[in-house]
Amino acid sequence: MLTQPILPAPPERVSVLGLPLHLSPDYAQWWRSRPQAGTHIITLNAEMAMLAERTPELAQILHRADLIVPDGAGVIFYLRLRRKKQRRCPGIELAAQLIEELGRDPQPRTLVFFGAAPGVADTAAQRWRSRFPRLTIHAQHGYLNPQEQGDFAQQLAQWQPDLILVGLGVPRQEYWITQHRHYCPHATWIGIGGSFDIWAGTKQRAPRWLRENHLEWLYRLYQEPWRWRRMLVLPHFAWRSLWP
Ligand code: UDP
Protein backbone atom coordinates (compact mmCIF):
# COMPACT_ATOMS: atom_id res chain seq x y z
CA MET A 1 0.00 0.00 0.00
CA LEU A 2 1.33 3.44 -0.92
CA THR A 3 1.51 5.84 1.99
CA GLN A 4 1.33 9.59 1.53
CA PRO A 5 4.19 11.56 3.09
CA ILE A 6 2.99 13.36 6.21
CA LEU A 7 3.37 17.07 5.61
CA PRO A 8 3.55 19.43 8.55
CA ALA A 9 0.38 21.45 8.98
CA PRO A 10 0.57 24.95 7.52
CA PRO A 11 1.72 27.39 10.16
CA GLU A 12 -1.07 28.99 12.22
CA ARG A 13 -2.03 32.36 10.75
CA VAL A 14 -2.82 35.35 12.96
CA SER A 15 -3.40 39.02 12.30
CA VAL A 16 -1.05 41.87 13.20
CA LEU A 17 -2.88 45.15 12.63
CA GLY A 18 -4.90 43.38 9.96
CA LEU A 19 -1.80 41.92 8.27
CA PRO A 20 -1.16 38.17 8.13
CA LEU A 21 1.58 36.55 10.21
CA HIS A 22 2.40 32.86 10.61
CA LEU A 23 3.29 31.27 13.94
CA SER A 24 5.59 28.29 14.08
CA PRO A 25 8.35 26.89 16.28
CA ASP A 26 10.24 25.86 13.12
CA TYR A 27 9.61 27.74 9.87
CA ALA A 28 12.36 25.86 8.04
CA GLN A 29 10.54 22.58 8.65
CA TRP A 30 7.47 23.88 6.86
CA TRP A 31 9.65 25.18 4.02
CA ARG A 32 11.35 21.78 3.72
CA SER A 33 7.98 20.12 3.32
CA ARG A 34 7.23 21.93 0.06
CA PRO A 35 10.30 21.76 -2.16
CA GLN A 36 10.09 23.56 -5.50
CA ALA A 37 6.72 25.00 -4.56
CA GLY A 38 7.56 28.61 -5.31
CA THR A 39 7.58 30.47 -2.02
CA HIS A 40 7.70 34.14 -1.11
CA ILE A 41 8.77 34.65 2.51
CA ILE A 42 8.38 38.05 4.16
CA THR A 43 9.95 39.01 7.45
CA LEU A 44 7.58 41.40 9.19
CA ASN A 45 8.62 44.06 11.67
CA ALA A 46 6.76 47.00 13.18
CA GLU A 47 8.20 49.48 10.66
CA MET A 48 6.98 47.40 7.75
CA ALA A 49 3.56 46.87 9.33
CA MET A 50 3.08 50.61 9.74
CA LEU A 51 4.24 51.22 6.18
CA ALA A 52 1.82 48.57 4.87
CA GLU A 53 -1.00 50.26 6.75
CA ARG A 54 -0.64 53.37 4.63
CA THR A 55 0.54 51.63 1.42
CA PRO A 56 -2.16 49.34 -0.04
CA GLU A 57 0.26 47.92 -2.63
CA LEU A 58 2.58 46.64 0.11
CA ALA A 59 -0.36 45.34 2.18
CA GLN A 60 -1.54 43.37 -0.84
CA ILE A 61 1.91 41.79 -1.26
CA LEU A 62 1.82 40.75 2.40
CA HIS A 63 -1.61 39.19 1.96
CA ARG A 64 -0.36 37.18 -1.03
CA ALA A 65 2.95 36.00 0.46
CA ASP A 66 3.29 32.31 1.31
CA LEU A 67 4.98 32.74 4.67
CA ILE A 68 5.27 35.77 6.95
CA VAL A 69 7.57 35.48 9.93
CA PRO A 70 7.98 37.85 12.89
CA ASP A 71 11.26 39.72 12.49
CA GLY A 72 11.27 42.34 15.18
CA ALA A 73 10.66 43.01 18.84
CA GLY A 74 7.52 45.08 18.12
CA VAL A 75 5.71 42.19 16.45
CA ILE A 76 6.62 39.83 19.32
CA PHE A 77 5.33 42.46 21.79
CA TYR A 78 2.07 42.63 19.81
CA LEU A 79 1.71 38.83 19.96
CA ARG A 80 2.56 38.61 23.68
CA LEU A 81 -0.21 41.09 24.46
CA ARG A 82 -2.53 38.63 22.76
CA ARG A 83 -1.09 35.68 24.68
CA LYS A 84 0.53 34.18 21.58
CA LYS A 85 3.86 32.52 22.23
CA GLN A 86 6.32 32.97 19.39
CA ARG A 87 10.06 33.44 19.12
CA ARG A 88 11.53 36.13 16.86
CA CYS A 89 12.68 34.86 13.49
CA PRO A 90 15.15 37.43 12.10
CA GLY A 91 15.39 37.29 8.30
CA ILE A 92 19.17 36.95 8.41
CA GLU A 93 18.89 33.84 10.59
CA LEU A 94 16.13 32.22 8.54
CA ALA A 95 18.07 32.90 5.32
CA ALA A 96 21.23 31.40 6.86
CA GLN A 97 19.26 28.32 7.92
CA LEU A 98 17.92 27.80 4.39
CA ILE A 99 21.37 28.25 2.85
CA GLU A 100 22.77 25.67 5.27
CA GLU A 101 20.00 23.21 4.39
CA LEU A 102 20.66 23.63 0.67
CA GLY A 103 24.41 23.46 1.26
CA ARG A 104 24.03 20.05 2.91
CA ASP A 105 21.72 18.71 0.22
CA PRO A 106 23.29 15.90 -1.82
CA GLN A 107 21.89 17.53 -4.98
CA PRO A 108 23.71 20.52 -6.45
CA ARG A 109 21.81 23.68 -5.51
CA THR A 110 21.84 27.17 -6.98
CA LEU A 111 21.40 30.41 -5.09
CA VAL A 112 21.26 34.06 -6.07
CA PHE A 113 22.37 36.92 -3.82
CA PHE A 114 20.96 40.18 -5.19
CA GLY A 115 21.45 43.53 -3.52
CA ALA A 116 23.79 45.83 -1.57
CA ALA A 117 26.66 47.98 -2.86
CA PRO A 118 29.02 46.59 -5.55
CA GLY A 119 31.28 43.88 -4.13
CA VAL A 120 29.26 43.22 -0.97
CA ALA A 121 27.06 40.36 -2.22
CA ASP A 122 30.20 38.91 -3.91
CA THR A 123 32.08 38.84 -0.62
CA ALA A 124 29.07 37.36 1.19
CA ALA A 125 28.73 34.69 -1.53
CA GLN A 126 32.45 33.86 -1.29
CA ARG A 127 32.12 33.30 2.45
CA TRP A 128 29.16 30.96 2.01
CA ARG A 129 30.91 29.08 -0.83
CA SER A 130 33.90 28.44 1.39
CA ARG A 131 31.55 26.76 3.91
CA PHE A 132 29.52 24.89 1.30
CA PRO A 133 31.68 24.41 -1.82
CA ARG A 134 28.94 22.45 -3.63
CA LEU A 135 26.64 25.45 -3.73
CA THR A 136 26.52 27.57 -6.86
CA ILE A 137 25.96 31.16 -5.74
CA HIS A 138 25.49 33.97 -8.26
CA ALA A 139 25.97 37.42 -6.77
CA GLN A 140 24.70 40.71 -8.18
CA HIS A 141 24.86 44.18 -6.58
CA GLY A 142 21.65 46.10 -6.08
CA TYR A 143 22.29 49.28 -8.08
CA LEU A 144 21.40 48.22 -11.63
CA ASN A 145 20.13 50.54 -14.36
CA PRO A 146 16.96 49.53 -16.23
CA GLN A 147 18.90 47.83 -19.03
CA GLU A 148 20.96 45.82 -16.53
CA GLN A 149 17.78 44.95 -14.62
CA GLY A 150 16.34 43.41 -17.78
CA ASP A 151 19.51 41.41 -18.44
CA PHE A 152 19.58 40.21 -14.85
CA ALA A 153 15.97 39.01 -15.08
CA GLN A 154 16.90 36.97 -18.17
CA GLN A 155 19.80 35.43 -16.28
CA LEU A 156 17.50 34.50 -13.41
CA ALA A 157 15.21 32.74 -15.86
CA GLN A 158 18.21 30.80 -17.17
CA TRP A 159 19.66 29.86 -13.78
CA GLN A 160 16.33 28.79 -12.18
CA PRO A 161 17.85 29.02 -8.68
CA ASP A 162 16.45 27.24 -5.64
CA LEU A 163 16.79 30.27 -3.37
CA ILE A 164 16.89 33.99 -4.24
CA LEU A 165 17.90 36.37 -1.47
CA VAL A 166 17.07 40.00 -2.19
CA GLY A 167 18.74 42.71 -0.12
CA LEU A 168 17.33 45.99 -1.42
CA GLY A 169 15.68 47.22 1.79
CA VAL A 170 11.95 47.47 2.60
CA PRO A 171 9.75 47.89 0.59
CA ARG A 172 11.90 47.95 -2.56
CA GLN A 173 12.83 44.28 -2.20
CA GLU A 174 9.19 43.17 -1.73
CA TYR A 175 8.11 45.07 -4.88
CA TRP A 176 11.05 43.68 -6.82
CA ILE A 177 10.26 40.08 -5.80
CA THR A 178 6.60 40.50 -6.77
CA GLN A 179 7.60 41.84 -10.18
CA HIS A 180 10.11 39.06 -10.85
CA ARG A 181 8.62 35.91 -9.30
CA HIS A 182 7.32 34.63 -12.60
CA TYR A 183 10.88 34.27 -13.93
CA CYS A 184 11.57 31.50 -11.40
CA PRO A 185 8.23 30.02 -10.35
CA HIS A 186 9.78 27.17 -8.30
CA ALA A 187 12.20 29.27 -6.29
CA THR A 188 12.04 30.53 -2.73
CA TRP A 189 12.38 34.32 -2.50
CA ILE A 190 13.16 36.30 0.63
CA GLY A 191 13.81 40.00 1.15
CA ILE A 192 16.67 40.18 3.64
CA GLY A 193 17.43 43.93 3.98
CA GLY A 194 21.06 44.53 4.92
CA SER A 195 22.04 40.89 5.56
CA PHE A 196 24.68 40.83 2.78
CA ASP A 197 26.42 43.75 4.51
CA ILE A 198 26.57 41.69 7.70
CA TRP A 199 27.77 38.49 6.02
CA ALA A 200 30.38 40.50 4.11
CA GLY A 201 31.52 42.24 7.29
CA THR A 202 30.77 45.80 6.12
CA LYS A 203 28.21 46.16 8.97
CA GLN A 204 27.94 44.53 12.36
CA ARG A 205 24.91 42.90 13.91
CA ALA A 206 23.97 43.93 17.44
CA PRO A 207 25.72 41.94 20.17
CA ARG A 208 23.81 38.87 21.32
CA TRP A 209 22.75 40.35 24.71
CA LEU A 210 21.04 43.28 22.92
CA ARG A 211 19.32 40.90 20.49
CA GLU A 212 18.14 38.67 23.32
CA ASN A 213 16.70 41.69 25.13
CA HIS A 214 14.79 42.85 22.04
CA LEU A 215 17.06 45.88 21.62
CA GLU A 216 18.54 45.18 18.19
CA TRP A 217 16.66 48.22 16.87
CA LEU A 218 18.54 50.45 19.36
CA TYR A 219 21.88 49.17 18.11
CA ARG A 220 20.83 49.82 14.50
CA LEU A 221 19.92 53.36 15.48
CA TYR A 222 23.36 53.80 17.06
CA GLN A 223 25.08 52.40 13.92
CA GLU A 224 22.85 54.23 11.44
CA PRO A 225 21.50 57.38 13.14
CA TRP A 226 19.71 58.43 9.94
CA ARG A 227 17.17 55.74 10.80
CA TRP A 228 15.59 57.89 13.54
CA ARG A 229 13.01 59.28 11.14
CA ARG A 230 11.94 55.80 9.98
CA MET A 231 11.79 54.64 13.59
CA LEU A 232 9.35 57.35 14.63
CA VAL A 233 6.58 54.92 13.70
CA LEU A 234 7.64 52.49 16.45
CA PRO A 235 5.91 54.25 19.38
CA HIS A 236 2.84 54.52 17.16
CA PHE A 237 2.96 50.75 16.53
CA ALA A 238 3.33 50.12 20.30
CA TRP A 239 0.34 52.36 21.00
CA ARG A 240 -1.74 50.57 18.37
CA SER A 241 -0.70 47.20 19.83
CA LEU A 242 -2.46 48.07 23.06
CA TRP A 243 -5.84 48.17 21.36
CA PRO A 244 -7.74 45.04 20.39
N1 UDP B 1 20.16 48.71 -1.51
C1 UDP B 1 20.36 48.26 -2.80
N2 UDP B 1 19.83 48.96 -3.83
C2 UDP B 1 19.10 50.09 -3.65
C3 UDP B 1 18.88 50.53 -2.31
C4 UDP B 1 19.41 49.81 -1.26
O1 UDP B 1 20.99 47.23 -3.00
O2 UDP B 1 18.65 50.68 -4.64
C5 UDP B 1 20.75 47.94 -0.40
C6 UDP B 1 21.67 48.69 0.53
O3 UDP B 1 22.96 48.79 -0.05
C7 UDP B 1 21.63 47.80 1.77
C8 UDP B 1 20.21 47.24 1.72
O4 UDP B 1 19.70 47.52 0.43
O5 UDP B 1 22.54 46.74 1.63
C9 UDP B 1 19.24 47.88 2.70
O6 UDP B 1 19.56 47.51 3.97
P1 UDP B 1 18.72 47.99 5.22
O7 UDP B 1 19.41 47.41 6.40
O8 UDP B 1 18.52 49.47 5.18
O9 UDP B 1 17.32 47.28 4.96
P2 UDP B 1 15.98 47.38 5.78
O10 UDP B 1 16.25 48.07 7.09
O11 UDP B 1 15.05 48.16 4.92
O12 UDP B 1 15.56 45.96 5.94
Side-chain angles (χ1 to χ4, degrees), residues 115-117 142-143 167-170 172 193-194 197 203 220 226-227 230:
Y143 294 86
L168 301 177
V170 174
R172 190 181 277 114
D197 295 289
K203 277 186 199 161
R220 293 205 79 180
W226 55 265
R227 283 185 179 270
R230 276 175 64 171

Side-chain angles (χ1 to χ4, degrees), residues 43 45 47 71 114-118 120 140-144 149 166-174 191-198 202-203 220 224 226-227 230:
T43 65
N45 62 19
E47 243 179 88
D71 176 359
F114 174 48
V120 173
Q140 174 60 63
H141 72 75
Y143 294 86
L144 300 177
Q149 281 278 358
V166 184
L168 301 177
V170 174
R172 190 181 277 114
Q173 60 198 20
E174 280 68 35
I192 54 161
S195 303
F196 297 134
D197 295 289
I198 290 171
T202 54
K203 277 186 199 161
R220 293 205 79 180
E224 302 161 283
W226 55 265
R227 283 185 179 270
R230 276 175 64 171

Side-chain angles (χ1 to χ4, degrees), residues 103 109 126-137:
R109 299 295 195 164
Q126 197 43 48
R127 294 198 168 170
W128 278 106
R129 278 187 214 110
S130 63
R131 272 189 71 191
F132 297 104
R134 287 159 45 78
L135 286 178
T136 300
I137 308 180

Side-chain angles (χ1 to χ4, degrees), residues 14 74 219:
V14 295
Y219 187 79

